[in-house]
Amino acid sequence: MLFEDRVIEIMKYIKRDGSVTTKKLVEELNTSESTIRRDLVELEKIGKLTRVHGGAIRKRVHSEEESLDDKFLLNKNSKEKIAKRAASLVEDGDSIYLDGGSTTFEMIKYLKGKDITVVTNGINHIFELMKNDIKSYVLGGYIKKVTGVVLGAQSFENIKQFSFDYAFMGANGIDNKKGFTTSDLEEAKLKAEAISLGQEVYILADKSKFGKVYFVKIADIKDANIITDEALENIAEDIKEKTKILEV
C-alpha cells in the first residue's frame, strides 16, 4: 500500500475514533510496525495528529484554560525545578518581566536577595514579590479572575514603557508548527508584547505543554528559548532546530 493510501486510512481512524493504536494499524493495513511509526512521524510533523505511546491521537485545539489554583497543583515538582533554573539566570542590576503564571510565581523565592527590578501582571506575584522585598511594578488593567492576571488596554500600554534584560513567560501549548499558544486573545497580545521587549526571553513549561495547541498564537518557536523538565524526544527534535531548550 502506498504512503498516500495509508494516510487516508490512518486519518479515517483518527477522525472517527479520536485515536488509533500502532498495533491496529499494522493489522488493518497489513504493513510493518516500522512503516506505521514512520507514517505517524510524518503526519505529526504536518500537524495532523499527536503521537503517544502505542499509537496516535487527534490533534486538538484547546479553547479553555485551567484556573490558577489548578495550575499550582499540576506538576509542582517540575515547576519548582524549572523556576529555580530560570531564577539562576538573573543577576544583580537586571530588570525582568514575570508573566502571570504558576511557574513564574515559583521563581520569586529564588530571586530573594538579588538587586533587581521586576514588572509583572500577576496579582499573586506582586504580594510574593513584596514579601521577598523585591522592587516591583504591576501593570494596570482589569483582573482576569480565573488566572489572577491583569489584562486589557491599560496593561498593554503600560508595558510599552519598559525594556527587560529577561522576560520569563508562560504558555499553555508548545507546537513546532503553531508555536507558543494560549486560550485568551488579550493574554496572547500582552505576552507577545512582553516577548518583544525582552533582550532574552524564556518560556517556562513542563513536558505536559509540548504537542498542545491552544486557540490563540503568542509567538513563533524561534522567538523564545524554553526551560523545561523534559523535552519530549519525538516533539522537541524539530523545536531544537529553531530555538534553545534548557532541560533541568
Side-chain angles (χ1 to χ4, degrees):
M1 184 181 288
L2 296 174
F3 171 71
E4 291 79 6
D5 296 325
R6 293 196 304 273
V7 166
I8 292 172
E9 293 301 312
I10 292 169
M11 293 310 300
K12 181 179 73 176
Y13 289 112
I14 291 290
K15 290 175 181 178
R16 187 187 68 192
D17 303 328
S19 65
V20 67
T21 65
T22 302
K23 181 180 179 182
K24 183 177 182 65
L25 291 173
V26 168
E27 293 172 352
E28 294 294 326
L29 304 184
N30 193 28
T31 190
S32 68
E33 184 173 335
S34 60
T35 297
I36 293 299
R37 289 184 186 279
R38 285 196 298 271
D39 290 348
L40 296 181
V41 168
E42 291 304 314
L43 287 169
E44 184 176 53
K45 284 181 179 179
I46 61 175
K48 294 294 186 182
L49 50 75
T50 298
R51 285 189 298 148
V52 295
H53 182 69
I57 60 174
R58 181 188 296 127
K59 190 82 170 181
R60 295 185 183 276
V61 175
H62 301 266
S63 60
E64 296 183 357
E65 187 169 2
E66 301 93 346
S67 70
L68 190 62
D69 288 341
D70 290 339
K71 287 183 177 182
F72 274 117
L73 296 174
L74 293 171
N75 304 313
K76 188 167 178 59
N77 289 338
S78 295
K79 289 177 179 179
E80 285 276 352
K81 293 176 184 177
I82 293 166
K84 188 174 183 179
R85 179 69 177 91
S88 72
L89 300 172
V90 181
E91 299 179 346
D92 286 348
D94 284 342
S95 297
I96 71 171
Y97 181 74
L98 288 185
D99 188 28
S102 55
T103 309
T104 53
F105 178 88
E106 298 295 347
M107 282 182 64
I108 297 172
K109 57 180 171 286
Y110 299 114
L111 297 172
K112 186 175 182 178
K114 295 188 178 186
D115 181 18
I116 61 174
T117 301
V118 176
V119 179
T120 186
N121 72 325
I123 296 300
N124 289 287
H125 293 52
I126 200 66
F127 291 109
E128 189 72 7
L129 287 161
M130 290 168 60
K131 187 173 79 174
N132 286 280
D133 198 27
I134 298 171
K135 182 181 178 182
S136 307
Y137 294 85
V138 63
L139 300 179
Y142 78 89
I143 299 171
K144 182 181 177 184
K145 183 179 178 181
V146 68
T147 52
V149 295
V150 179
L151 297 173
Q154 187 176 349
S155 60
F156 188 70
E157 289 303 314
N158 282 171
I159 200 171
K160 292 179 180 180
Q161 302 174 67
F162 301 102
S163 294
F164 309 112
D165 295 295
Y166 292 97
F168 296 102
M169 312 297 300
N172 297 100
I174 301 175
D175 180 81
N176 183 46
K177 284 188 167 293
K178 299 296 185 180
F180 303 109
T181 56
T182 189
S183 60
D184 186 286
L185 184 60
E186 288 196 337
E187 281 201 53
K189 183 179 179 182
L190 186 62
K191 287 173 185 283
E193 187 66 19
I195 287 171
S196 74
L197 296 169
Q199 292 295 313
E200 289 192 55
V201 181
Y202 288 89
I203 301 289
L204 311 187
D206 62 72
K207 63 184 178 183
S208 69
K209 306 293 180 67
F210 285 85
K212 288 185 178 179
V213 177
Y214 278 72
F215 185 53
V216 189
K217 183 175 180 177
I218 301 166
D220 291 320
I221 293 295
K222 65 179 177 59
D223 294 329
N225 304 303
I226 300 169
I227 304 179
T228 186
D229 56 331
E230 182 183 348
L232 301 178
E233 185 177 349
N234 62 318
I235 298 173
E237 186 176 338
D238 292 329
I239 292 176
K240 285 179 179 178
E241 295 178 2
K242 299 178 180 179
T243 194
K244 178 172 65 177
I245 299 180
L246 302 180
E247 294 184 57
V248 297

